[in-house]
Amino acid sequence: MRVVWQLLVVAAVALAGGQVIAGVQEDDPWLTFAVGLSSAALALLAYAWVVRRSEHRPVVEVAVKGAAPALGLGALVGVAVFGLVVLQLATNGYYEIEGRGSTTGAIGLVGFMAAAAVTEELLFRGVLFRIIEERTGTWIAMAATAVLFGAYHLANPDATLWGALAVAIEAGGMLTAAYIATRNLWVPIGVHFGWNFAAAGIFSSVVSGNGANQGLLETTASGPELVTGGDFGPEGSVFSVLFCALATLAFLLLARRRGHLVSRRRCVEERAKRRAGERAEGRSEEPATKRAEGRADSGAGQAEAPSTLPR
């Protein structure tokens, strides 16, 4: 039941925050900035609380220590990978920067994208991938959550089947691999935010079929849909799939070097050890219980003798 409780708690906070952001996004970029960051912070607190209560352990994947440099590193990776996509599009004549955009629009997008990055990473990497991996190993969990993440984006206004598949490969691969390599959620949150903010807040692109954004630069994209992504945005570009796949490979190689990949066999062995430990603990408690029962029965036979058992 822990997966259900964790999903419900984080999703409830995300839904409430999303409703508030949607109500203020068009009217006040500064309020969107504040509400978005507040929503992200509340989602993190809710995740830490529900995981601690349901799993009875320190929630090290969102530990405050080291969070800032991990977030910064992840954000740089996200911006850099998206920048490579834009560079390829521009070099091939499919992308053009026309001038300056809106600074206040970009500020509002910081809050909006922070809330989206945090809540989606908590749900898909913090809850679903982490718990599925415990039972199936890294590869099955990675594939399953990638499919779920792609399908989740089919609900967006201008979503396409190809766009959802591209997101499954790009984010389902790159962001999950970032978690596997580091075993914390700060780096994938940073990568997710950096990618989304670069797309919307810097280059004013459509993000996952959610419509146009007003960022720091005025840009236009034109050309074959398979190359530019069309109405779905650059995430539907073959260049995005290529560069995110390369980033995924880099993170997975780092994870392998650190010994962070979990095989299905190891999962089975760990579960068998836990069950054996629980049975052994039960057997060790049984004789003590019987001795206590025996003493109680003996005391009951001597009605006049004072009891020495604690009341």
Side-chain angles (χ1 to χ4, degrees), residues 63-147:
V64 175
K65 184 178 181 181
L71 277 171
L73 175 62
L76 286 175
V77 171
V79 171
V81 176
F82 191 83
L84 289 173
V85 174
V86 171
L87 180 62
Q88 284 298 313
L89 290 171
T91 301
N92 288 279
Y94 300 120
Y95 207 86
E96 184 178 350
I97 297 175
E98 299 178 337
R100 293 182 58 185
S102 170
T103 302
T104 55
I107 289 170
L109 286 165
V110 169
F112 183 81
M113 294 306 176
V118 167
T119 55
E120 289 181 6
E121 290 311 300
L122 292 177
L123 289 170
F124 286 93
R125 258 59 67 178
V127 178
L128 289 173
F129 172 80
R130 182 176 57 80
I131 293 177
I132 293 173
E133 186 190 35
E134 291 176 6
R135 294 189 170 274
T136 66
T138 297
W139 302 117
I140 294 176
M142 189 175 185
T145 52
V147 171

Side-chain angles (χ1 to χ4, degrees), residues 8-35:
L8 285 175
V9 169
V10 177
V13 174
L15 182 61
Q19 291 297 318
V20 177
I21 292 172
V24 302
Q25 188 178 5
E26 297 295 330
D27 301 325
D28 191 339
W30 288 101
L31 187 56
T32 302
F33 172 82
V35 171

Side-chain angles (χ1 to χ4, degrees), residues 207-281:
V207 177
S208 305
N210 275 313
N213 294 286
Q214 186 65 52
L216 294 173
L217 300 171
E218 286 285 354
T219 62
T220 57
S222 60
E225 188 171 334
L226 190 62
V227 177
T228 64
D231 291 338
F232 191 75
E235 284 172 321
S237 168
V238 290
F239 289 128
S240 291
V241 174
L242 171 63
F243 287 119
C244 288
L246 291 174
T248 300
L249 179 60
F251 277 125
L252 289 176
L253 289 174
L254 179 60
R256 181 181 179 184
R257 190 173 70 181
R258 292 178 172 179
H260 288 180
L261 300 177
V262 180
S263 67
R264 181 173 173 80
R265 178 179 178 181
R266 177 178 161 187
C267 293
V268 172
E269 291 174 350
E270 289 293 330
R271 287 203 301 274
K273 286 180 182 178
R274 284 197 297 270
R275 286 195 293 267
E278 290 168 359
R279 286 196 296 269
E281 184 179 350

Side-chain angles (χ1 to χ4, degrees), residues 14 16 45 222 286:
L45 290 172
S222 60
E286 185 178 357

Side-chain angles (χ1 to χ4, degrees), residues 60-63 65-67 70-71 121 125 175-176 178-190 258 260:
V60 294
E61 63 268 28
V62 289
K65 184 178 181 181
L71 277 171
E121 290 311 300
R125 258 59 67 178
L175 299 175
T176 306
Y179 171 75
I180 298 166
T182 60
R183 291 297 167 178
N184 73 66
L185 287 168
W186 297 118
V187 172
I189 287 172
R258 292 178 172 179
H260 288 180

